[in-house]
Amino acid sequence: MKIFPLGDSALLVNFEQSISPEINRKVTQLQKQIAAAYFPEIEFMIPAFCSLTIGYSKSKTTFSKLKKRVLALKVQQANSEKENPILHKIPVCYAPTYSIDIQEVTNQTNLSKEEIIELHTSQIFQVYMMGFLPGFAYLGSVPKQLFTKRKDIPRKRVEKGSVGLAGLQTGIYPMESPGGWQIIGRTPVEVFDVKKEQPFYFKTGDQVQFYPVSKKEFDNYKK
Amino acid sequence: MSNLVKFQIVKSPFSVTIQDAGRFGFLEQGIPISGAMDLKSATIANQLVEKPDDNPVLEITLSGTEISISGKCQIAITGANLSPRLNNKPISTWQTISIKKPSIISFGKAVSGSRAYLAFNGTFNLKPWLGSFSAFGNLTPALVLKNGDSIEGLPSTSVSKKIYPEKYRSTFHNSQKIKVWKGPEFDNFSKKQIDHFLKTDFKIAPNSNRMGYNLTKGFKNYKQKNELISSGVLPGTIQVTNSGHLAILMRDAQTTGGYPRIAHVLGDDINKLAQMKAGDEIFFEIVSL
C-alpha cells in the first residue's frame, strides 16, 4: 500500500496496480473500515480498481496526519470479517436490434454469438469502479477469450441500457451518451434514475451476473 | 401578498448557473463535485449578505448577462469585475447592495477575471439534487438558467451594509504563477519533460470550460510509459493525455481518469485559475508539502 498526496486536500492509497477481484476487494474493505471508524476530517472517498482516493478537510487535518491514521487501520484489516457482497442478477436481451456490435465482436474474438452470450452470462462480475457517467459500473473481469477492443471511432449516441464490452470489462450505459464500447445487448433495468433519492443501482464491490432474456421478456419487463 | 423576489435572466450568452460549495456525497458514484469555480469569491458574496458559506449563489460568466430583479431585497456581487450596472448606473462590488425597486443588473466588459458571483440575502425556491444546489449538466435543469428562465426567492430580514476590505479582495491577472504539488505519477516523467513543465508559459486553450482547461504547448513526441489503471481525479489534477497535452481538471471534472497525474494545483490556486480564460498564460511552480 502506497500513499500519495492528490493535491492539498486528498490522499491517494494505491494497492498493487493490477485489475483483480481480490485487489479491488481490498479497496472496498479499506473504504468500509474508514466509514465505520471515526474520521470527521474525511469529506469523500473514490474507490477505483486498485486505489482509494480520500478527500479531507484542510482545516481539520494534514496529509501526514491522515496518512498515519489510514496506515494504522491497515493493521486491523487482517481481522476484518468476511465480506458478503450483494449479487445483482441483470436480464440482458441479446436480440439483433440490441446487439448492434455482435458482428465486430465475433470478428475480433472468433467466437459465435452463442459462445459470446454463454461467456457473458456464465460469470459473476465485480463492480470494480463507478465512473464515466453517473451510475456507470465498470464490471470485470471478462473471460480472456472475450477480450474486445473499443470502437475506433466512438458512437455519437449509445442508447440507455446498452450493454457493452471494452477490453476485459463490461458495463451498462445508464443513460444515452456518446461511447466507444462494443454493444452486445440491452437491459431493461434502470441502473440510474435521476428522480430517485438514491439514484444508483450499483456500488463498487457489488457483484453482477447477467442472464439472457428474449425480446418479449425485455418488453414485458417494464411494468 | 407574497414578497417573493423573482430573478429573471433577460439575456446571457453563457448560461447562468446556480452553484454552492459542491456536492461531496457521491464521488464514489461518479458524480463530480461541481460548485462555484471561484469558491473564495462565492463565499465572500454570501458573507456580505450574512448567509452560510455554502449557500447557493448565481455564477455569471464573462460579459453580456442581464438579470432582472422584481422587488426589494439585498444582494452582493463579488469575483470578476464584469463592469456591473444597476439600472444602467455602475455599482460597487464586494459589498452589500440594497435593491429598492424592480431593477436590472447588467454585466458589461470583463475588466478582470471571468466569473462573478451574485449572492442573495434570502432563500431561493430551489430543490437540491443529491444534497447540493450546484448545477450538473442536463441532470439539474432547474439549476441552469438560460435566456428567459427565472428563479424566485424569499428575502430574509435586512442586514447592515458590509464592505469587504479592498486589501483582502482577490485580484485577477491574465498571466499567473500557479502553485502545484507533485502528482502521484510525477516520477513517470523524464527530467526533460519536468523541465518543460516548469519552464513553459502555457496558454489556456479555447476548448476550456468548467470541466477542465486544456493547455497549449504540451510535450512533443510524447509516449506514455505504460497504460495506467483508472483511478481518482479531482479539481486541480493536471493530466497528461496520450498525445502529450496537458489538461487541468476543474470543478465539473469526472471523478476517475486513466492519464498520468503529473501535478496537482493547490486549493487556493484553483480559485485563481477559475478566473482565467482562454488565451491567458500560466506558469507552474512546485511547492513542497
Side-chain angles (χ1 to χ4, degrees):
Chain A
M1 200 165 88
K2 274 192 199 159
I3 298 185
F4 301 87
L6 192 63
D8 58 0
S9 50
L11 58 81
L12 170 74
V13 182
N14 266 357
F15 294 88
E16 186 197 323
Q17 290 297 291
S18 67
I19 298 177
S20 82
E22 296 74 32
I23 293 171
N24 188 244
R25 193 64 69 203
K26 287 185 185 173
V27 174
T28 48
Q29 262 178 23
L30 181 62
Q31 184 191 12
K32 275 191 191 153
Q33 266 184 287
I34 288 172
Y38 183 65
F39 275 95
E41 64 272 46
I42 292 181
E43 293 186 321
F44 62 86
M45 289 186 266
I46 312 174
F49 291 90
C50 38
S51 72
L52 182 67
T53 298
I54 304 171
Y56 59 84
S57 161
K58 272 192 285 188
S59 59
K60 291 181 185 155
T61 190
T62 62
F63 171 72
S64 42
K65 276 188 201 159
L66 185 57
K67 180 180 169 179
K68 263 187 213 147
R69 288 204 65 192
V70 171
L71 285 172
L73 275 179
K74 179 69 170 61
V75 186
Q76 305 161 10
Q77 199 167 300
N79 309 327
S80 70
E81 55 191 283
K82 221 165 157 24
E83 303 282 317
N84 270 319
I86 302 169
L87 173 62
H88 305 275
K89 299 253 186 185
I90 304 286
V92 178
C93 176
Y94 297 91
T97 14
Y98 300 141
S99 57
I100 50 181
D101 291 322
I102 202 85
Q103 191 57 50
E104 199 169 333
V105 178
T106 300
N107 294 347
Q108 282 196 35
T109 59
N110 288 317
L111 297 167
S112 67
K113 180 171 178 175
E114 291 66 35
E115 289 169 325
I116 293 168
I117 296 171
E118 169 62 25
L119 284 170
H120 196 244
T121 53
S122 58
Q123 313 283 319
I124 291 179
F125 299 122
Q126 188 160 313
V127 177
Y128 284 142
M129 183 174 88
M130 301 296 296
F132 166 49
L133 291 169
F136 187 93
Y138 290 85
L139 304 171
S141 295
V142 162
K144 285 200 176 64
Q145 306 99 287
L146 206 50
F147 178 92
T148 318
K149 284 190 295 187
R150 285 175 171 80
K151 301 192 82 63
D152 289 336
I153 301 161
R155 271 203 180 79
K156 287 215 174 74
R157 175 182 159 148
V158 177
E159 297 296 327
K160 173 180 168 180
S162 293
V163 177
L165 294 170
L168 291 177
Q169 303 173 99
T170 179
I172 303 165
Y173 281 77
M175 58 195 68
E176 186 193 304
S177 143
W181 291 37
Q182 305 283 0
I183 305 305
I184 58 165
R186 196 179 295 178
T187 179
V189 176
E190 296 238 6
V191 297
F192 174 77
D193 185 351
V194 69
K195 294 184 287 296
K196 282 190 183 153
E197 205 165 306
Q198 286 296 332
F200 312 100
Y201 198 86
F202 302 119
K203 63 178 187 304
T204 305
D206 286 357
Q207 293 187 329
V208 177
Q209 185 167 21
F210 296 113
Y211 65 93
V213 293
S214 67
K215 178 81 171 53
K216 202 171 170 193
E217 288 168 305
F218 178 95
D219 292 336
N220 290 338
Y221 187 86
K222 294 176 182 177
K223 305 136 223 172
Chain B
M1 196 194 90
S2 128
N3 48 358
L4 280 178
V5 174
K6 184 160 125 179
F7 293 76
Q8 184 165 36
I9 310 302
V10 180
K11 61 170 185 172
S12 180
F14 305 92
S15 302
V16 171
T17 58
I18 313 285
Q19 301 290 346
D20 58 16
R23 181 177 284 112
F24 287 94
F26 299 88
L27 278 91
E28 61 185 79
Q29 287 287 355
I31 305 293
I33 298 175
S34 304
M37 282 282 271
D38 176 0
L39 269 180
K40 193 177 166 191
S41 295
T43 299
I44 294 163
N46 273 323
Q47 288 169 357
L48 293 169
V49 292
E50 296 188 14
K51 288 291 164 194
D53 290 357
D54 60 353
N55 220 45
V57 297
L58 303 184
E59 182 175 275
I60 297 125
T61 307
L62 296 169
S63 54
T65 296
E66 273 183 37
I67 301 172
S68 71
I69 303 178
S70 71
K72 278 188 185 174
C73 65
Q74 289 179 308
I75 61 167
I77 299 170
T78 62
N81 178 354
L82 305 181
S83 317
R85 298 170 83 88
L86 175 64
N87 299 323
N88 226 4
K89 292 197 191 86
I91 39 163
S92 301
T93 51
W94 302 90
Q95 58 180 266
T96 322
I97 302 166
S98 290
I99 305 288
K100 301 195 169 81
K101 55 172 192 199
S103 300
I104 301 265
I105 304 258
S106 53
F107 295 87
K109 188 169 184 270
V111 176
S112 71
S114 56
R115 290 177 171 90
Y117 294 91
L118 189 156
F120 167 52
N121 178 22
T123 309
F124 288 125
N125 192 4
L126 290 168
K127 275 197 194 119
W129 183 62
L130 299 181
S132 163
F133 292 96
S134 292
F136 174 47
N138 299 331
L139 296 179
T140 59
L143 303 174
V144 179
L145 306 177
K146 301 195 170 94
N147 287 344
D149 289 352
S150 59
I151 51 169
E152 289 183 330
L154 187 65
S156 307
T157 314
S158 286
V159 297
S160 57
K161 181 175 174 172
K162 276 170 270 296
I163 301 178
Y164 192 71
E166 206 151 338
K167 59 178 175 181
Y168 298 130
R169 293 177 197 171
S170 315
T171 52
F172 310 121
H173 308 281
N174 303 331
S175 174
Q176 288 198 97
K177 191 182 276 176
I178 297 295
K179 291 196 187 80
V180 301
W181 276 1
K182 290 178 184 176
E185 283 79 44
F186 182 85
D187 292 335
N188 292 13
F189 294 90
S190 68
K191 172 146 195 324
K192 208 176 146 200
Q193 286 165 335
I194 297 299
D195 275 354
H196 179 86
F197 179 68
L198 293 174
K199 288 177 184 158
T200 304
D201 50 333
F202 294 100
K203 276 205 165 73
I204 298 173
N207 54 341
S208 297
N209 53 36
R210 283 188 46 96
M211 285 177 74
Y213 288 3
N214 290 302
L215 304 183
T216 61
K217 304 182 192 175
F219 299 140
K220 287 203 179 97
N221 307 318
Y222 174 76
K223 251 204 125 79
Q224 199 189 309
K225 276 188 186 159
N226 43 2
E227 276 299 303
L228 293 177
I229 298 167
S230 285
S231 171
V233 293
L234 292 170
T237 300
I238 306 174
Q239 293 181 327
V240 180
T241 68
N242 288 348
S243 54
H245 283 99
L246 277 78
I248 310 174
L249 301 183
M250 296 299 285
R251 305 281 183 203
D252 283 349
Q254 68 274 23
T255 54
T256 58
Y259 296 124
R261 296 156 287 192
I262 186 169
H264 204 289
V265 179
L266 299 195
D268 291 341
D269 284 25
I270 299 176
N271 295 324
K272 279 191 194 173
L273 275 174
Q275 292 293 357
M276 300 184 83
K277 56 186 178 300
D280 288 354
E281 208 174 46
I282 57 175
F283 307 84
F284 292 114
E285 181 193 14
I286 295 179
V287 294
S288 54
L289 247 156

